[in-house]
Amino acid sequence: MQVARKSSPVARSARHPGASGLHFELFSTAEALPDADWSAVVDAGHVFLQPTYLRALERSRPERMTFFYALFREHGRPVAVASFQCVDFGMDGFGPNLLPEGMPPEEALGASFFVRAQLKRVLERMRVRVLVCGNLFVCGPHGFAHRLELDAERAWSALAEAVDALQAQERNLTFVLVKDLAPEALGATRALERAGLDRVQVDPTMVLTVRPTWHSFDDYLADLTTKYRANARRSRRQLAGVERRSLTAGEIADLAPQVEALYGAVHQRSRLRPSRVSASYFVHLKESLGAAFDFLGYFEGGELRAFNSRLRAGEESESYYLGIDYAHNERLALYFNALLDDVEFGIVTGAKRIQFGRTSLECKSALGAEPLSLNLFTRHREPLLYPLARSLLPLVQPKWAARHPFKEHK
């Protein structure tokens, strides 16, 4: 079977059903997706699987990344969809703190130094091509959806068949990754493990549940203990003199060099960085999603010191990408204020939950966010790389302590 490339006027191919009994079509560009059939499966609130979002992401051309999509049918009726990202992963996908040179001197003789050194040795010689069912730019189960009346285990078995078809086509794929499934997704777990994928537990994502009594940011502050409320108010005072302003697509485009520099400063500090977006990604998101995507600029004396982006997805508010000038971060408390702004945005827009992702876990715990466990599922073609990848997991899972900022925990 050949999957049509983007240059094809159709950019799709059909596949006969496997054991699941579902037919599916594979697409190599979101431009070719049949919107009506796709929307018959994907809930309007599931923004990261909407064709408008998928096309905006494609148009921004993330580094080292290509895309595939699958539409599953039963008796001609659309019943499931999947989104895949293919990414080339090498040395440039790891932050310096994951390589031997970035280790503290007191750890240089430990076991993790050996793992890091072996990782560097392997990745200096090769690039690993990874097929991801999901979205590398956001946490959560954003790679697959099916109609509720379709049995979950059968649906995920069909997804495994689509993965097999893509691996047969893209023969240089080394790893398969299905990301961010809840532990209670038992039908998915059974289907994926039966297809030869191994379950791996990774860092939790942090989620703040918005209380029904919070109608304003002050209501949120009132529920904090004195210590945490004082910290929040002190951070707000540090931001005095900074103008916070939501930007239009045109304004983001005009500030593209500054946006990319601020984003790059944060990206450079990341432990894992499988791909990178440009300022055009935020422009395309604003053009495609409108008010559902908020891009907030932080200006001091006319200079852009930071930016923060948030996205409304159904009942959830997603704390998304940010960029920071670290020369001013401590003085203005830019990072923590961006998190506080995400709390306020979620409250005033009526979200029930605020998704904060899986970085800076302790800082987000201090806001009241709680950890939500998620699993990855992996399959590999290079047996020698598998134990190295497993050994890498503890290195990307930072130690942290839960905080309890609300009064009922006093």
Side-chain angles (χ1 to χ4, degrees), residues 12-245:
R12 70 181 184 183
S13 63
R15 178 79 175 184
H16 294 297
S20 71
L22 301 184
H23 292 77
F24 62 86
E25 298 170 276
L26 294 176
F27 301 81
S28 61
T29 170
E31 296 295 338
L33 296 178
D35 284 13
D37 288 342
W38 197 271
S39 298
V41 177
V42 179
D43 181 85
H46 200 161
V47 171
F48 295 107
L49 268 178
Q50 291 292 336
T52 50
Y53 168 81
L54 298 173
R55 288 166 186 152
L57 177 58
E58 267 194 28
R59 286 197 296 270
S60 70
R61 300 180 182 274
E63 289 180 353
R64 308 185 302 275
M65 184 174 285
T66 55
F67 302 89
F68 292 101
Y69 311 92
L71 174 64
F72 302 81
R73 299 180 186 272
E74 183 176 41
H75 307 305
R77 178 171 171 260
V79 293
V81 301
S83 172
F84 299 93
Q85 298 171 347
C86 287
V87 62
D88 292 317
F89 210 77
M91 277 283 292
D92 48 359
F94 292 87
N97 53 353
L98 278 187
L99 298 175
E101 298 84 347
M103 291 191 67
E106 64 271 15
E107 297 180 17
L109 298 179
S112 64
F113 178 86
F114 174 78
V115 173
R116 294 169 198 244
Q118 292 303 310
L119 174 70
K120 180 178 180 180
R121 181 180 178 185
V122 169
L123 292 179
E124 280 178 335
R125 300 180 180 181
M126 65 180 294
R127 297 192 71 83
V128 177
R129 188 153 176 79
V130 183
L131 175 69
V132 180
C133 178
N135 192 328
L136 288 172
F137 301 106
V138 66
C139 292
H142 301 301
F144 185 63
H146 63 85
R147 296 180 69 95
L148 292 178
E149 62 267 28
L150 181 64
D151 176 74
E153 189 167 348
R154 184 183 176 206
W156 285 91
S157 294
L159 174 73
E161 292 165 5
V163 168
D164 290 341
L166 284 170
Q167 277 203 289
Q169 167 64 28
E170 304 292 313
R171 296 188 178 277
N172 61 342
L173 289 172
T174 307
F175 272 87
V176 171
L177 178 66
V178 180
K179 71 184 295 278
D180 295 346
L181 302 187
E184 59 267 24
L186 301 181
T189 297
R190 287 192 295 268
L192 294 174
E193 290 184 337
R194 188 167 57 245
L197 283 88
D198 293 318
R199 177 174 41 175
V200 180
Q201 186 171 355
V202 293
D203 275 348
T205 184
M206 301 299 289
V207 182
L208 175 64
T209 299
V210 178
R211 299 179 177 184
T213 55
W214 296 348
H215 303 293
S216 68
F217 186 65
D218 284 339
D219 292 334
Y220 162 77
L221 290 178
D223 277 353
L224 298 178
T225 63
T226 301
K227 170 185 173 181
Y228 287 96
R229 186 168 58 251
N231 287 342
R233 286 176 172 165
R234 182 170 57 253
S235 296
R236 285 312 206 199
R237 288 195 297 271
Q238 288 179 256
L239 211 59
V242 173
E243 178 194 7
R244 288 172 288 167
R245 177 161 49 89

Side-chain angles (χ1 to χ4, degrees), residues 53 56-57 60 137 277-286 320-321:
Y53 168 81
L57 177 58
S60 70
F137 301 106
V277 298
S278 65
S280 67
Y281 177 49
F282 307 115
V283 174
H284 291 314
L285 282 183
K286 190 61 183 175
Y320 210 39
Y321 277 105

Side-chain angles (χ1 to χ4, degrees), residues 197 319 336 397:
L197 283 88
S319 177
F336 194 63
Q397 296 174 337

